[in-house]
Amino acid sequence: MKISKIHIKDFHQFKDFTLDLTYPQGHEKVGQPLDKVCFIGQSGTGKTSLLELIPPLLFDYDTNIIEKSGSAVGTSNIQATYHFGENYDYFYESYLEYELDRDGQSYVLAYDVFDENDFETNEITQNVYQDWTGKRSKLIYFPANLNFNIDLDENYDFNKKNIVDFSEDKVSTVWNLILEKIQNYQEQELKIRQDISKVVEKSSSDIEAIQKAVKQLEDWKNSEFNPIKDVADNCLDPLLAKFKLRVKTELDFKTKDDIGFIKVEDFEGNEIPHGLWSTGTKQVILSALPLYLLKPKHTVILFDEPERSLYPDLQRTVVNYYSSLAESCQFFYSTHSPIIASSFDPWEIVELKFNKEGKVYRETYFEGENHVDNYKWNPKYMRWDDILQRVFDLEDDGSPDRKVKLDELATLNVKFKKLKTKEQEHSVEALEIVKNIEKLSKELSKWN
């Protein structure tokens, strides 16, 4: 399922606000819902609010966005159009209405969400619906403040979750999905090692028998699926390498009680205790691991501020990396990072701005028809400073200290020109000015 349109009649800073979330003319997917969307804009424009409105619109799932909206009087209507089916040929519209009383308390008046009964009148759409619902896993939400607690709860079952909301659930609990596989793998390995020990005890001088037993272990390791090595090779190690770390695949435990959350080591094989993990390491593991283990399909995935605690080189890669871990999913991101934004085409970016009345509108990047060739810039091809100035509307091209130095340099140049006009360019004052110009120029050019 993918969302193609959101309309908000009246909700706080949003009034008669409509988002078209489809590919533009000239694109091979023209008219289809976007695979990924990036919300940017000044703080307070409603980026996170848009993320939190999606779960109640699609699945009647309460994110408390209405309750957190403050005091008001009146009725609001929020509507979403979303598509399903193999080629997203079928669509459905859902809406929610609510009213806030004078005390700011929220009362939901009506939901009209996705329901199987809505498709019984049409045999074709009913068949598509049944086929599609058998594949979908609904929605995953990653808030900005991920819970970094890595204590496991073995009673937690993700297979029973329709909505995976990591503002409520600990991300580390996804490790439960492979705990049993890890245990089974280690039990088999221990059994083979015990067999080797028995061979050595019985015939320590029979080198051929010992070699045969050891080869049995090697063959087993080469043929048997190792769940931890799978996670390491296909999910985490490519990202952890940026931290000079890797997943510890050789685990030294003997019983299920020894199995904890994933372990990490440096390139020398020294294990890094969980308490010494950097916030960046936790962020990488606790955002990538759920997508790999949950294996979402036909799912809406929400990320609020994915750049948190990540160095720029990782920010450059995470958006495309997350997409590679999910099949036929739609991603929504809210970010303040120009580096994150550089992973998106211009039609995938929703820039929110305030108008004179304090209401939010979407800044459009194209002129005339919404066509791929009509966009005035594309963050994928721009320098970081250009993205900051053109897309994020940052007026200055450097810090205030840099601006002060540039003003000093400009003033000195003006003074020297005046002295030169008076044929005093060799005077003591002029020579001192030239000396200061050279010093400032060298200092500024050093960092350009």
Side-chain angles (χ1 to χ4, degrees), residues 140 142 146 148 166 171-172 174-175 177 230-232 234-240 243 247 261-262 279-296 301 303 306 310 314 317-326 331 333:
I140 303 174
F142 293 87
L146 274 179
F148 287 156
F166 288 123
V171 187
S172 58
V174 298
W175 198 238
L177 293 169
D230 174 67
V231 167
N234 300 314
C235 179
L236 294 179
D237 277 0
L239 293 178
L240 289 177
F243 301 95
V247 174
F261 190 57
I262 192 168
T279 53
T281 302
K282 292 177 182 178
Q283 175 80 356
V284 163
I285 291 175
L286 295 179
S287 57
L289 194 60
L291 293 180
Y292 187 72
L293 294 181
L294 289 168
K295 302 195 181 307
I301 302 172
F303 270 99
L310 295 185
L314 269 174
T317 63
V318 290
V319 171
N320 291 333
Y321 183 71
Y322 292 152
S323 295
S324 72
L325 298 178
F331 287 82
Y333 294 87

Side-chain angles (χ1 to χ4, degrees), residues 115-183:
D115 190 276
E116 183 175 1
N117 295 327
D118 294 306
F119 296 88
E120 290 182 345
T121 57
N122 187 311
E123 182 178 353
I124 296 177
T125 54
Q126 177 68 12
N127 290 338
V128 172
Y129 168 80
Q130 290 175 347
D131 178 64
W132 174 73
T133 51
K135 300 175 182 176
R136 68 182 179 140
S137 55
K138 290 198 174 180
L139 182 141
I140 303 174
Y141 176 38
F142 293 87
N145 54 338
L146 274 179
N147 186 337
F148 287 156
N149 189 320
I150 56 176
D151 294 331
L152 297 183
D153 179 4
E154 292 186 19
N155 296 319
Y156 195 92
D157 188 358
F158 269 101
N159 293 317
K160 296 180 180 179
K161 298 283 289 185
N162 290 323
I163 307 295
V164 180
D165 181 358
F166 288 123
S167 67
E168 300 289 338
D169 305 324
K170 288 188 299 184
V171 187
S172 58
T173 51
V174 298
W175 198 238
N176 290 349
L177 293 169
I178 60 171
L179 270 176
E180 186 175 350
K181 293 179 181 178
I182 295 172
Q183 182 190 16

